[in-house]
Amino acid sequence: MSTSSVQTPEFLPEPQPWWAVRGTIPPRRALVLTALGLLLPLLGWMALAGSGWVDPVFLPGPGAVLTRLASWWADGLLEDIGISTLRVLGGWALSALVALPLGLLIGSFRTLQALLEPLTDFIRYMPAVAFVPLVMVWIGIDEGAKVAVIFIGTFFQMVLMVAEDIRRVPQAQVEAAQTMGASRREVVEKVLVPSAKPALLDTLRVTMGWAWTYLVVAELVAASSGLGFAILKAQRFLQTDKIFAGIVLIGLIGLVIDQGLRWAHRRAFPYLHARH
């Protein structure tokens, strides 16, 4: 028997298990599961709305929502999207501008943690909608008031999350830097901040989602445009198809921004997303 007729076994990659704890799955399987996760709720919505069991006033079908979106497009939808996006980004960016350095200080120094964290914890449990009357008295009813409501809704949580991101940096890194003679400022700038950067970007991404959830509350303040204002106006006239359209639009815009921040995280920290 010739050696050429002997077939060497082929070493095929082991199949990836479906339920491995923190395991990876093939990209094709991930794509299929993502599509199912989006399509199944849509199909369920279509089936329930088309069954006749629920009055369309309470649950309009996807077709009615799309029709409403088409008419809304001709009635200034792009302007509503633009002004709401600017309000959310303004409140979120202002929160980040203040919360990042403050959270860095609280996470770095126990003295500031003891002084400021209990107060921040206390305030963050207060509902943002309860501040609307005060915001109107303090700031007025212009665009600044709407940005302020979004700021209040995101700032205090962001401070605590940033402080926790800084505290998660291993103490061994801090002690190693101090052993080599690093000053307090050098420890913060060259150890704590670089080590916490991936977590900080994730915190900004999560709090961006919170900022969008406060949009409708912010546009309670004497608004005459925006997606939240349109939802509140549609509620008065029982236009549930427009309410659904506004909710879906906010979700889609938030999803696009979220995926953009995820992409930025992968580009900035590729070593955290490498396949093993």
Side-chain angles (χ1 to χ4, degrees), residues 21-53:
V21 177
R22 300 185 68 177
T24 59
I25 60 175
R28 182 177 298 179
R29 185 188 300 174
L31 183 62
V32 170
L33 292 173
T34 300
L36 285 175
L38 294 173
L39 286 176
L40 289 178
L42 178 61
L43 293 175
W45 177 19
M46 293 175 62
L48 186 58
S51 66
W53 296 344

Side-chain angles (χ1 to χ4, degrees), residues 120-236:
T120 307
D121 262 327
F122 171 67
I123 297 176
R124 77 184 178 100
Y125 283 102
M126 299 179 182
V129 68
F131 287 91
V132 170
L134 288 176
V135 168
M136 294 174 69
V137 171
W138 292 340
I139 301 176
I141 58 174
D142 57 1
E143 288 301 310
K146 301 165 185 60
V147 172
V149 172
I150 295 173
F151 171 86
I152 292 170
T154 57
F155 170 73
F156 298 99
Q157 289 91 339
M158 191 186 293
V159 168
L160 295 174
M161 291 181 70
V162 169
E164 190 61 31
D165 292 337
I166 297 298
R167 283 196 290 264
R168 286 198 188 102
V169 175
Q171 183 64 20
Q173 295 183 16
V174 176
E175 292 172 353
Q178 291 171 336
T179 300
M180 291 185 289
S183 65
R184 283 179 300 188
R185 182 170 182 173
E186 289 173 332
V187 170
V188 172
E189 291 182 352
K190 298 182 179 180
V191 177
L192 295 179
V193 173
S195 297
K197 276 182 180 179
L200 292 174
L201 185 52
D202 268 336
T203 291
L204 292 176
R205 179 178 62 83
V206 171
T207 51
M208 170 62 78
W210 287 343
W212 276 100
T213 64
Y214 288 106
L215 174 65
V216 177
V217 174
E219 292 182 347
L220 282 170
V221 185
S224 59
S225 60
L227 296 175
F229 167 76
I231 290 173
L232 293 169
K233 184 178 178 182
Q235 177 191 10
R236 293 198 296 267

